[in-house]
């Protein structure tokens, strides 16, 4: 294990493994340290991948139960142990793929717990590893609700992924990405779902029109969603959990078999030796980094959910891992523009967005134009059997695109085009000249820009 490395990466989640893979590709000698038995971190083991597998099973149940709409006789019921087996298979396959890839790039994987020491160097379970550069990518964990212990009937997404049954009823606290996805998934599997959000609307970071449409869609699906709900107490008994909250000046109680706490994530930095090494943290506990992802100690970098950058998303970690590996290799890499990172939520209906919301665009003082197209105007959306909309926010008078906001079928895939349009500051005319295959859902994006350019085809 001894010997000097060019790069030692602490944590083998999306941030850490992308930094390690890219550094190895750039001919650096790399060690990747991970205390878990398996590589992959939150995304592969406890986040994006297993939850999207569950949401796919949920979608199949929904499709089967609506089969009559497409002239097919069928109905669906989830077999939870088989659903869990599918989830495990998907995770295993991805972990195996990643493990093989890391090995094939010649990265040394060291299993153990790392601590930063002067050098820069790390100590892994007592053994010192010298490195030219150290990349901290220790990730995050679910944030507990103050005064409410996790355990028994009160779960975070970590425990929910291990649950041995589909609960008959659930109270979900927090309507961000985790809360909306789990609320949606449990509802598809037949549970009674109450969703409580402290801020005045669901998915509060999204454009207001998206939040409104989501609230309508969730109501139609039978989810009881309450925004502006302030949770005051959570009690559990042998049979149930009771969540007291205040909303609209009224004290209420929601009762369910389990309660899922989904109020955000906190960085994992304990025991990392940051203070002793002189690496500063923010008040929120994340590792302070500058726009080039450098910590306060030379040649020590931080990326991913543990770093003080704005978005805790797997695809942000990939970008940060690449940026740091390339800077270490001496390449000139521009700082990441976080405003151009797409955001995706896999509830039904799906949400996806990039750039400024309408309110944010107006706050800049710029003259703004908005074009919204109902997906029901698009042939393919009617065939798929789901509505929604595409909303474009642009500078008035034919100026550049500032943001795109969508709700509806497969918008998490459609946002890739919206990201290019926004990042390349395309105007409505630029996009109107492009070609959208027919019949596809991507015509929704095309139509919104045609409308903005003053020449809509399928809408008034
Ligand atoms: P979040 O910060 O996105 O949402 C948490 C929500 O809980 C917020 O809307 C907040 O107002 C609300 N909240 C906080 N305290 C509350 C309280 N006491 N009562 C009621 N509501 C309360 O955090 P979330 O959803 O836990 O996700 C964690 C991170 O993981 C986020 O950065 C998220 O974007 C990311 N993530 C991304 C996914 C995706 O890209 N599809 C999927 C899941 C998570």
């Amino acid at each position: 294990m001894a010997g000097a490395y060019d790069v030692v990466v602490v944590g083998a989640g999306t941030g850490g493994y992308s930094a390690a893979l890219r550094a190895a590709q750039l001919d650096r000698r790399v060690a990747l340290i991970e205390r878990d038995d398996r590589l992959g971190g939150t995304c592969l083991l406890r986040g994006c991948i297993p939850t999207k597998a569950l949401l796919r099973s949920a979608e199949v149940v929904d499709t089967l139960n609506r089969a009559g709409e497409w002239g097919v006789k069928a109905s669906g019921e989830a077999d939870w142990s088989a659903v869990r087996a599918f989830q495990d298979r998907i995770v295993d396959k991805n972990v195996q793929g990643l493990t093989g890839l890391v090995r094939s790039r010649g990265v040394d994987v060291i299993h153990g717990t790392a601590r930063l020491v002067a050098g820069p160097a790390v100590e892994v379970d007592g053994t010192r590893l010298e490195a030219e550069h150290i990349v901290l990518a220790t990730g995050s964990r679910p944030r507990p609700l103050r005064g409410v212990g996790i355990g028994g009937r009160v779960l975070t997404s970590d425990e929910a992924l291990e649950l041995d049954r589909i609960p008959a009823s659930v109270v979900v606290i927090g309507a961000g990405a985790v809360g909306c996805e789990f609320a949606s998934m449990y509802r598809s599997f037949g549970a009674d779902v109450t969703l409580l959000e402290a801020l005045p609307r669901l998915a509060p970071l999204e454009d207001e029109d998206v939040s409104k449409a989501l609230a309508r869609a969730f109501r139609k699906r039978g989810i009881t969603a309450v925004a502006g709900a302030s949770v005051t107490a959570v009690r559990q008994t042998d049979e149930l959990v009771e969540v007291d909250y205040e909303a609209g000046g009224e004290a209420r109680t929601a009762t369910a078999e389990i309660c899922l706490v989904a109020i955000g994530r906190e960085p994992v930095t304990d025991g990392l030796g940051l203070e002793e090494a002189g690496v500063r943290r923010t008040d929120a506990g994340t590792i302070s980094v500058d726009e080039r992802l450098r910590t306060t100690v030379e040649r020590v970098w931080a990326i991913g959910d543990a770093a003080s950058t704005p978005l805790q998303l797997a695809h942000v970690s990939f970008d940060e891992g690449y940026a740091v590996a390339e800077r270490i290799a001496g390449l000139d890499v521009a700082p990441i523009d976080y405003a151009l990172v797409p955001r995706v939520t896999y509830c039904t209906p799906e949400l996806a967005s990039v750039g400024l919301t309408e309110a944010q665009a107006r706050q800049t003082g710029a003259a703004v134009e908005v074009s919204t197209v109902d997906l029901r105007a698009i042939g393919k959306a009617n065939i798929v059997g789901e509505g929604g909309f595409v909303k474009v926010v642009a500078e008035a008078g034919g100026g550049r695109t500032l943001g795109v906001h969508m709700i509806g079928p497969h918008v998490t895939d459609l946002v890739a085009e919206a990201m290019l349009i926004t990042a390349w500051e395309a105007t409505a005319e630029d996009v109107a000249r492009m070609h959208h295959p027919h019949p596809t859902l991507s015509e929704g994006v095309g139509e919104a820009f045609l409308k903005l350019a003053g020449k809509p085809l399928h809408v008034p």
Side-chain angles (χ1 to χ4, degrees):
M1 191 201 277
Y5 286 96
D6 296 319
V7 188
V8 166
V9 181
V10 182
T14 43
Y17 81 68
S18 58
L21 288 171
R22 183 72 182 122
Q25 211 168 44
L26 292 164
D27 296 326
R28 286 339 192 236
R29 189 158 177 245
V30 184
L32 180 59
I33 305 169
E34 173 56 59
R35 62 177 161 206
D36 207 314
D37 293 342
R38 298 189 294 172
L39 306 185
T42 300
C43 167
L44 250 70
L45 305 175
R46 294 174 294 279
C48 320
I49 299 298
T51 56
K52 265 74 265 176
L54 287 181
L55 283 157
R56 172 71 180 136
S57 298
E59 186 191 0
V60 171
V61 171
D62 285 339
T63 304
L64 285 170
N65 287 329
R66 292 178 52 195
E69 290 177 37
W70 294 280
V72 176
K73 287 184 192 157
S75 61
E77 192 191 331
D79 168 350
W80 187 243
S81 59
V83 168
R84 286 283 314 275
F86 168 66
Q87 174 198 322
D88 291 345
R89 252 192 339 271
I90 295 293
V91 170
D92 289 347
K93 191 170 177 347
N94 279 277
V95 171
Q96 271 168 29
L98 174 64
T99 308
L101 191 60
V102 166
R103 195 181 309 125
S104 75
R105 295 260 175 104
V107 171
D108 285 350
V109 174
I110 297 165
H111 284 285
T113 300
R115 183 182 171 78
L116 198 60
V117 288
V122 293
E123 244 174 46
V124 184
D125 300 330
T127 305
R128 187 180 167 92
L129 278 185
E130 301 286 343
E132 196 64 33
H133 292 269
I134 290 172
V135 182
L136 303 173
T138 46
S140 65
R141 63 183 156 227
R143 188 154 63 82
L145 189 58
R146 192 173 306 177
V148 178
I150 300 299
R153 297 181 179 281
V154 180
L155 323 174
T156 70
S157 55
D158 284 356
E159 292 78 29
L161 287 172
E162 301 291 323
L163 208 62
D164 60 359
R165 63 192 185 283
I166 298 171
S169 52
V170 187
V171 176
V172 177
I173 303 179
V178 171
C180 288
E181 290 183 359
F182 273 90
S184 177
M185 187 258 292
Y186 282 132
R187 184 66 198 130
S188 298
F189 287 141
D192 281 331
V193 177
T194 304
L195 176 59
L196 305 177
E197 167 57 50
L199 291 175
R201 55 195 177 88
L202 307 187
L205 299 181
E206 298 296 340
D207 188 273
E208 243 177 284
D209 287 345
V210 169
S211 295
K212 275 187 209 149
L214 179 67
R216 261 196 314 274
F218 271 7
R219 196 177 318 124
K220 221 170 130 197
R221 293 191 57 201
I223 294 172
T224 305
V226 187
S230 142
V231 172
T232 50
V234 178
R235 289 180 302 277
Q236 22 181 340
T237 67
D238 285 347
E239 285 88 39
L240 47 86
V241 53
E242 290 173 328
V243 179
D244 294 340
Y245 64 97
E246 282 171 17
E250 233 181 78
R252 303 186 212 167
T253 301
T255 304
E257 188 180 324
I258 62 161
C259 169
L260 178 82
V261 177
I263 59 161
R265 299 181 66 85
E266 61 186 16
V268 175
T269 57
D270 16 293
L272 202 52
L274 297 180
E275 277 71 27
E276 297 87 325
V279 173
R280 218 177 29 240
R281 289 190 298 163
T282 62
D283 291 345
T286 50
I287 303 170
S288 270
V289 289
D290 64 9
E291 60 170 18
R292 300 202 170 260
L293 303 162
R294 292 176 293 209
T295 69
T296 45
V297 171
E298 222 184 313
R299 293 183 288 127
V300 178
W301 311 72
I303 57 175
D305 286 6
S308 62
T309 50
L311 293 163
Q312 292 179 313
L313 296 170
H315 45 285
V316 167
S317 310
F318 288 138
D319 297 347
E320 292 179 347
Y322 260 53
V324 162
E326 292 179 358
R327 283 178 193 139
I328 287 173
L331 303 179
D332 183 20
V333 183
I336 293 169
D337 184 349
Y338 292 93
L340 293 174
V341 173
R343 303 167 292 263
V344 286
T345 307
Y346 295 81
C347 45
T348 300
E350 290 186 353
L351 319 179
S353 60
V354 63
L356 301 182
T357 62
E358 182 179 349
Q360 288 166 340
R362 293 198 187 284
Q363 267 161 25
T364 65
V368 167
E369 248 177 330
V370 169
S371 155
T372 302
V373 161
D374 189 329
L375 281 174
R376 291 283 182 182
I378 304 301
K380 183 67 184 285
N382 290 307
I383 295 167
V384 171
E386 263 191 77
F389 64 74
V390 177
K391 172 174 175 177
V392 178
V393 181
E395 286 173 346
R400 67 199 164 113
T401 303
L402 300 172
V404 180
H405 307 276
M406 297 183 277
I407 179 167
H410 300 282
V411 294
T412 53
D413 291 312
L414 300 185
V415 78
E417 182 192 10
M419 184 269 298
L420 285 180
I421 291 169
T422 311
W424 286 344
E425 302 185 345
T427 65
E429 267 303 331
D430 292 333
V431 184
R433 272 201 303 275
M434 296 296 153
H435 317 284
H436 289 87
H438 175 74
T440 64
L441 293 166
S442 75
E443 287 173 279
V445 176
E447 189 72 47
F449 282 92
L450 278 173
K451 185 175 169 189
L452 191 61
K455 44 188 170 185
L457 174 60
H458 291 105
V459 292

